[in-house]
Amino acid sequence: MHTPAYSQLAGALTYLSPTPLPAGSLVRVPLGQRETLGVVWEPTDAGSDATKFLDVNKLRPVSAVLDALPPLTPHWRALIRFAASYYQRSAGEVALAALPPQLRDLSSVQLARKLKKLAKAAAGAVTPAPAAADSAASPPGDLSPLQPHPDNNSKTIALSAEQTSAIGQFNQHPGPFLLFGATGSGKTEVFMHCTAQLLARQPQAQVLVMVPEINLTPQLEERFKARFEAQFDADAVVSLHSGMSPAQRLNSWLAAHSGAARIVLGTRMAVFASMPTLQLIIVDEEHDPSYKSHEGARYSARDLAIYRGHLEGIKVMLGSATPSLESWYHSRPQAEGGRYLRLDMPSRIGQGQLPLVRRVDMAHQPKGCIIAAPLLAAIAQRVARGEQSMLFLNRRGYAPVLECTDCGWQSTCPNCSAFRVFHKIDRTLRCHHCGLMERVPSYCPTCGNADISPVGRGTERLEEHLSELLADIRRPDGQPVRVVRIDADTTKLKGALQAQLAQVHSGDVDVLVGTQMIAKGHDFRRITLVAAVNPDNALFSSDFRAPERLFSLLMQAAGRAGRDAAVASRSEMWLQTTHPTHPLYEALKNHDYPAFAASQLKERLQAGMPPMSFQALVRADARSQEVAQGFLNAASLAATQHTDTAALLSHLTLYPAVPMTIARVANVERAQMLIESPSRTALQRFLTAWQGVLHSTRSAPECKGLMRWAIDVDPLLI
Ligand code: ADP
Ligand code: ZN
Ligand code: ZN
């Protein structure tokens, strides 16, 4: 009996098995000298044809069948098959990336033992008494530090009118849904309520909750755990993300696959979690770019969540205060072609206002000014009142470049088309692209001048500068101001971010400085001022999505201020800009995402850009731009010469190959080619047909020196 199984090779491979194996069975199979995990795939028509020609004597047997595990469901296999075909990869690669690597290392007996433990824990779970309705909101004006989060006492709270209406619509429609709720409008509460009502109805159901970055949203995890572990058992809520140890990841995966886990909370990889009784998918902060994978199969977990919902016939709810323009467009009225139902929650819980947006025109500030005087005064006022401020700047390090004042030498990276950043703390020059790190030279490497100086500013310099400016200001307790910086440099060590966040929550910190990582998600209760120090760059970027990302970041950041209704009325969002009347800032001032989205969609429609059209990028890496671009242009030309690709060309635009924005990284030259079509189907058909052409172009003599190429479907960064 032979059974085709997928490996990371392009097609299905065939192995012998003494007994018939149902499709979806997990096996271990020999592959060359190695042994790898395999999934038994149903024989396709092509597959059964091919097997006729196979020489049974040459086939190798499967090494082991992991029969302790129930087979992966047809839905799961269909999801993998779709993802592989849509993102132009092999099913084996997608399947293997979706399964915990440790499955390879354990025997069926060991797996059976683990499953038994999980089943026992689930059976021992206590059925809870219904919790009493109770308002757990914090008393107004109470800003006492170390106050536990209201959800931690796991009592249910009375829903707001907007929450009630959103949940009502959720219950009446099939979805998919876009929960469009202001920051602090209680979206998380809606997610938990929908989950709770489903589990009350169907105790065996499973819910998948996706979050962009688990480390940045520990509170969501905490709140779900607090609410549902009290109701079920400690294994009822499991996490799945890349920061887990292989053993933890295996345990979570087994809990999900065996049905022991009720709720799986995870990052983008969790969209592939095997959940046989999945009934609901929630995607929090659906606009977040981290849902898009940027290696291997470049899938969008948000888009796959929608597809998975459709496949399984279950509801999907996306949530955001600043939805992606794609989701916003899909949730236009049904009469205009919308496919998602939009659920509106415009108000913050407790009638809290959104912060007042204030723009400082930097053109009227002294030259070289980093923090404008009125902003500084506003921060000082907060310190004196015992409130917190948050400033963010999208550049870590001390200064983005060092320069010789004499000969003009600059700290370029020898391996990349980029500058090395000056980090004052350890006096190094570091390339943020290839990682090259060197001590700062004492003299200019070109002319020997001792006067080399930092140009521009990063978070490290901002922190230093602010501490100097605020040196004379005192807190209500008479102590000097405490400024803390949070960015990728201060949070490298495990637990560092958690420790720093705890410091902010406890009130130890007066001014928080950081990169955009502090602007997202955190429920800081004492912040009444948020400032974007230098947000203008994105206004004029060549990437058409840059304004969308900037608006979303600024709205998220504004949402960090005044989360406690008691201080909301005196909360402010400051923007330092040389374009104070830019329409993006006007829309931000009014907290008007719909107005911003409408103007962006109008531009996109005129320019024929997504979401009104569909794109793919082919990227190529080589030792020279000539080879990288040559390969892409040759493949583009070849598309006109093959009948199956040529037939589709009238539905597509293939642009000429261009260098990537940062053309060289670690001495590799990078080029890309954009393909655009008003039809998703035409683009898909073309890419599938073009794959073979790309492969054969690669072996052309002029493409010698090409290192790799990859297709990115629905790319986010152009
Ligand atoms: P979002 O996810 O939209 O930012 P959250 O769900 O985090 O909003 O809610 C903001 C705050 O309001 C949280 O502290 C939450 O516990 C609280 N909250 C949410 N819903 C209610 C409610 N119906 N009554 C009282 N407090 C609520
Ligand atoms: Zn010099
Ligand atoms: Zn470099």
Side-chain angles (χ1 to χ4, degrees), residues 209-471:
V209 182
M210 307 224 313
V211 292
E213 255 289 0
I214 228 139
N215 289 329
L216 299 186
T217 48
Q219 287 176 349
L220 187 108
E221 192 181 8
E222 225 172 79
R223 286 167 72 180
F224 265 84
K225 289 205 155 151
R227 169 92 45 112
F228 294 99
E229 285 183 353
Q231 208 177 96
F232 295 93
D233 62 294
D235 296 324
V237 185
V238 300
S239 305
L240 259 185
H241 56 90
S242 53
M244 298 167 78
S245 73
Q248 287 171 324
R249 198 176 147 192
L250 176 68
N251 278 339
S252 293
W253 187 87
L254 285 175
H257 179 63
S258 66
R262 303 270 64 78
I263 296 167
V264 174
L265 264 169
T267 50
R268 63 170 179 256
M269 68 194 280
V271 76
F272 293 117
S274 165
M275 299 175 72
T277 53
L278 182 63
Q279 290 297 332
L280 170 64
I281 306 177
I282 290 165
V283 184
D284 191 22
E285 310 286 4
E286 66 86 28
H287 62 276
D288 198 290
S290 74
Y291 283 122
K292 178 89 159 103
S293 164
H294 30 251
E295 60 201 13
R298 288 161 167 78
Y299 63 88
S300 156
R302 188 232 9 250
D303 295 350
L304 284 180
I306 295 283
Y307 184 82
R308 187 172 185 175
H310 162 76
L311 198 64
E312 312 227 13
I314 61 171
K315 293 188 183 186
V316 180
M317 174 140 64
L318 312 178
S320 178
T322 53
S324 63
L325 284 176
E326 279 77 7
S327 299
W328 185 252
Y329 184 63
H330 289 321
S331 68
R332 66 197 185 279
Q334 209 178 4
E336 293 167 27
R339 296 185 286 117
Y340 302 175
L341 185 67
R342 195 183 291 164
L343 312 173
D344 282 309
M345 297 206 304
S347 322
R348 276 184 150 182
I349 290 292
Q351 310 307 311
Q353 296 159 22
L354 283 162
L356 176 70
V357 175
R358 311 191 61 158
R359 291 162 288 182
V360 186
D361 189 345
M362 294 308 273
H364 297 153
Q365 296 296 319
K367 200 173 164 347
C369 163
I370 295 176
I371 305 286
L375 172 56
L376 187 67
I379 297 170
Q381 194 183 45
R382 261 105 199 144
V383 175
R385 284 207 299 250
E387 296 166 7
Q388 295 174 315
S389 305
M390 180 177 108
L391 282 80
F392 71 98
L393 176 64
N394 228 1
R395 214 171 229 165
R396 64 195 170 84
Y398 189 82
V401 53
L402 275 189
E403 202 174 68
C404 169
T405 48
D406 216 17
C407 75
W409 169 87
Q410 291 182 314
S411 58
T412 46
C413 174
N415 307 329
C416 307
S417 37
F419 291 117
R420 281 176 299 166
V421 175
F422 173 40
H423 288 253
K424 191 176 181 185
I425 201 157
D426 52 3
R427 298 206 57 83
T428 54
L429 284 178
R430 289 188 225 163
C431 176
H432 290 178
H433 302 280
C434 72
L436 181 73
M437 179 152 101
E438 272 175 8
R439 285 195 57 78
V440 169
S442 317
Y443 303 95
C444 167
T446 313
C447 74
N449 175 17
D451 191 12
I452 43 181
S453 55
V455 181
R457 70 199 92 103
T459 45
E460 214 185 307
R461 193 175 193 179
L462 183 62
E463 177 194 11
E464 180 188 273
H465 188 61
L466 259 176
S467 304
E468 285 165 12
L469 291 174
L470 296 169

Side-chain angles (χ1 to χ4, degrees), residues 6-10 41 80-81 84-85 89-96:
Y6 260 102
S7 79
Q8 72 257 76
L9 300 179
W41 225 243
I80 297 293
R81 208 178 294 121
S85 119
R89 309 294 289 202
S90 75
E93 180 191 4
V94 178
L96 281 193

Side-chain angles (χ1 to χ4, degrees), residues 448-507:
N449 175 17
D451 191 12
I452 43 181
S453 55
V455 181
R457 70 199 92 103
T459 45
E460 214 185 307
R461 193 175 193 179
L462 183 62
E463 177 194 11
E464 180 188 273
H465 188 61
L466 259 176
S467 304
E468 285 165 12
L469 291 174
L470 296 169
D472 297 333
I473 310 291
R474 290 287 171 272
R475 297 156 49 108
D477 60 7
Q479 296 291 313
V481 180
R482 289 174 210 166
V483 181
V484 155
R485 169 168 59 97
I486 300 187
D487 58 27
D489 294 318
T490 67
T491 54
K492 256 190 231 128
L493 296 176
K494 205 172 160 59
L497 176 63
Q498 272 61 32
Q500 290 181 328
L501 290 176
Q503 250 188 320
V504 181
H505 287 296
S506 73

